């Protein structure tokens, strides 16, 4: 029996481009050190994956195509529905990415266990059926219409699809699936691309939505070629620190909805709990009032919420001042410290500055500049910011407080949570009707004005 002729090719893990030899810089996307070596063989002719074809599509004039809303499958989790744009579109393929152990499989499984009127096939390439059963028992839900199969061969997966005829298909994870038409190993660039393309054809021809679960690499991107993100209809990133309880589901790409929405979950013993009001989880509750604590109003996507900024300023004990920042851009904090020293006159160059965003999340909204500066000044002068005060404003290099986007939503959210006073940039509320507000708005133009408003 003649052996298949094998050859070596180099593939870019960033864009999927191939090259017959190694190059340091990808000729297609320009990324450095992204070429990986793979052994490839000739594809088996006419050995494509069998799909449940329902007739070949025909070209039609655009005027004859009826414009209707895409039918959606309503998911049990309202946070997931929000990020998807209203539900799971039939015939779509959705990629859910995240770090190992962050809760991707738990999120998908607990939603599928709550769907009672649809037949679902869950393909697991990583965990055994017993492990998934134990997870379902921990979540506290059972289902008679959720079928689990442990398989890594794409050809066998389509055989199971023909047998079960699911209405929703889940593949966990795409990096473990391989097809026999390629000789490379599972998780390689060619295998990930080919398997995703076959699943895409199946979804479009059958109308069955497909959920793909994928890992992210150390750079924070989906493992596998960048072309995988181009193939799918939606890419959802599930992120958060495993040392904390809270998780964020963020839409990176969505052909059927907005990418500005986020979903917030809390990891508990029985799975993931939806957080309807994120402001309550990110703010302190009661307790003694201390200096160095300020409340800022930020936006994640189009969703406003209040967040607590904590700062500690003390004399440098070891000669060289320390700058430690958690949950915020450290370079921006250094810039704000320089503004305080140059424009306001506070000598912080010989002091240690520690900054922390409560709740363990990471934010980069420039509107939190004013809250960061307020927390630092409060700790420096050891004066407490009055309870019920919050703020939103971007700080420029000249010490001015610049307007921020969607100030109306920020003000409404702050009033809803019982805030009594709010610092806003001067001129930022032009055209906004403040007659119905019970909260007092203080317009400030400079950092010095904000300091006088807070501390007198």
């Amino acid at each position: 029996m003649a052996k298949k002729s094998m050859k070596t090719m180099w593939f870019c893990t960033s864009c999927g481009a191939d090259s017959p030899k190694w190059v340091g810089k990808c000729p297609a996307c320009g990324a450095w050190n992204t070429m990986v070596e793979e052994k490839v063989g000739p594809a088996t002719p006419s050995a494509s994956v069998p799909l449940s074809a329902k007739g070949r599509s025909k070209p039609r004039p655009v005027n004859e195509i009826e414009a209707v809303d895409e039918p959606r499958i309503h998911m049990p989790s309202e946070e997931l529905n929000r990020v998807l744009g209203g539900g799971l579109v039939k015939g779509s393929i959705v990629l859910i990415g995240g770090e190992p152990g962050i809760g991707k499989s738990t999120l998908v499984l607990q939603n599928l266990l709550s769907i009672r009127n649809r037949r679902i096939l869950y393909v697991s390439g990583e965990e055994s059926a017993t492990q998934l059963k134990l997870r379902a028992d921990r979540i506290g839900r059972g289902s008679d219409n959720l079928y689990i199969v442990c398989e890594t061969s794409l050809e066998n997966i389509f055989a199971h699809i023909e047998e079960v005829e699911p209405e929703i298909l889940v593949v966990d994870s795409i990096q473990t699936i391989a097809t026999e038409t390629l000789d490379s190993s599972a998780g390689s660039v060619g295998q990930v691309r080919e398997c995703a393309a076959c699943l895409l054809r199946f979804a479009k021809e059958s109308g069955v939505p497909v959920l793909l679960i994928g890992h992210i690499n150390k750079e924070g991107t989906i493992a596998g070629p960048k072309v995988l993100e181009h193939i799918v209809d939606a890419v959802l990133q599930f992120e958060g620190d495993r040392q904390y309880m809270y998780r964020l589901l963020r839409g990176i790409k969505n052909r059927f909805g907005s990418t500005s929405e986020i979903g917030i979950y809390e990891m508990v013993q029985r799975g993931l709990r939806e957080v309807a009001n994120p402001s309550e989880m990110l703010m302190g509750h009661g307790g003694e009032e201390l200096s160095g604590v300020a409340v800022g109003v930020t936006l994640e996507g189009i969703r406003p919420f209040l967040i607590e900024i904590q700062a500690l300023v003390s004399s440098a004990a070891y000669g060289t001042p320390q700058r430690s920042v958690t949950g915020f851009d450290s370079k921006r904090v250094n810039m704000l410290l320089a503004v305080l020293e140059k424009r306001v006159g506070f000598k912080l160059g010989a002091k240690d500055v520690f900054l922390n965003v409560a709740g363990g999340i990471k934010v980069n909204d420039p509107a939190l500049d004013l809250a960061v500066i307020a927390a630092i000044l409060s700790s420096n002068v050891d004066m407490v910011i009055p309870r019920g005060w919050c703020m939103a404003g971007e700080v420029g290099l000249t010490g001015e407080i610049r307007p921020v986007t969607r100030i109306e939503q920020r003000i409404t959210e702050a009033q809803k949570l019982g805030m009594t006073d709010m610092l806003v940039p001067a001129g930022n509320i032009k055209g906004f009707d403040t007659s119905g507000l019970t909260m007092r708005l203080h317009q400030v133009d400079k950092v010095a004005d904000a300091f006088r408003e807070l501390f007198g």
Side-chain angles (χ1 to χ4, degrees), residues 335-336 338-340 342-343 394-400 402:
M335 182 201 77
L336 296 176
V339 170
L340 288 177
K342 181 72 174 181
R343 304 298 181 185
E394 179 184 353
V395 177
L397 291 178
T398 61
E400 85 278 13
R402 303 175 61 84

Side-chain angles (χ1 to χ4, degrees), residues 51-340:
L51 301 179
S52 56
K54 295 184 178 180
R56 186 173 299 172
S57 60
K58 299 180 180 180
R60 290 185 295 165
V62 66
N63 290 335
E64 295 182 7
I65 301 176
E66 185 179 358
V68 295
D69 292 336
E70 294 287 346
R72 294 179 183 265
I73 300 175
H74 188 78
M75 304 299 285
S77 171
E78 291 299 330
E79 296 290 302
L80 180 58
N81 284 325
R82 178 187 291 111
V83 179
L84 287 172
L88 192 62
V89 177
K90 293 184 177 180
S92 65
I93 181 167
V94 178
L95 175 63
I96 301 178
E99 295 180 356
I102 203 67
K104 305 181 297 297
S105 300
T106 302
L107 172 67
V108 173
L109 187 60
Q110 74 176 29
N111 273 274
L112 299 181
L113 290 172
S114 300
I115 300 177
R116 301 298 181 186
N117 56 348
R118 297 184 184 275
R119 189 183 298 108
I120 305 166
L121 178 60
Y122 190 105
V123 180
S124 175
E126 297 181 344
E127 296 179 294
S128 65
T130 303
Q131 289 175 308
L132 292 172
K133 172 60 177 174
L134 291 174
R135 179 176 294 166
D137 292 340
R138 189 180 74 248
I139 295 174
R141 298 172 188 169
S143 176
D144 293 328
N145 58 342
L146 175 62
Y147 297 83
I148 294 176
V149 61
C150 300
E151 187 59 68
T152 58
S153 170
L154 186 64
E155 286 74 17
N156 293 340
I157 290 174
F158 277 98
H160 292 301
I161 291 174
E162 292 291 339
E163 178 184 353
V164 177
E165 296 183 353
E167 297 174 78
I168 299 176
L169 174 65
V170 180
V171 178
D172 183 10
S173 67
I174 186 62
Q175 281 84 20
T176 62
I177 308 302
T179 175
E180 296 175 0
T181 58
L182 296 178
D183 291 329
S184 53
S185 60
S188 62
V189 175
Q191 287 285 3
V192 170
R193 178 167 48 188
E194 181 65 20
C195 293
C198 291
L199 290 170
L200 173 67
R201 291 200 302 269
F202 163 73
K204 299 306 179 184
E205 292 184 7
S206 65
V208 175
V210 178
L211 290 173
L212 303 179
I213 298 177
H215 298 304
I216 63 175
N217 53 29
K218 60 182 180 181
E219 286 82 17
T221 57
I222 302 294
K226 199 71 174 178
V227 71
L228 181 59
E229 297 186 18
H230 302 321
I231 290 176
V232 300
D233 295 311
V235 179
L236 308 183
Q237 189 93 350
F238 201 46
E239 58 190 39
D241 194 334
R242 282 184 291 178
Q243 307 300 323
Y244 293 90
M245 297 180 294
Y246 302 109
R247 306 285 189 267
L248 296 181
L249 183 65
R250 193 187 306 273
I252 299 176
K253 170 189 175 182
N254 194 350
R255 290 174 179 163
F256 305 106
S258 172
T259 56
S260 300
E261 293 284 2
I262 66 165
I264 303 179
Y265 294 88
E266 180 185 7
M267 181 64 77
V268 295
Q269 183 68 27
R270 298 174 65 89
L272 291 163
R273 183 186 69 86
E274 299 181 48
V275 178
N277 189 358
S279 300
E280 294 182 355
M281 77 175 187
L282 298 172
M283 291 178 57
H285 301 277
E288 182 183 357
E289 294 186 12
L290 300 173
S291 61
V293 177
V295 177
V297 188
T298 185
L299 283 174
E300 275 289 342
I302 60 174
R303 198 171 181 183
F305 56 86
L306 274 64
I307 196 167
E308 187 177 281
I309 306 294
Q310 301 173 346
L312 179 62
V313 180
S314 62
S315 300
Y318 303 104
T320 303
Q322 301 183 58
R323 301 287 187 265
S324 178
V325 181
T326 303
F328 198 71
D329 187 3
S330 58
K331 294 182 179 179
R332 193 163 188 88
V333 172
N334 290 332
M335 182 201 77
L336 296 176
L337 292 175
V339 170
L340 288 177

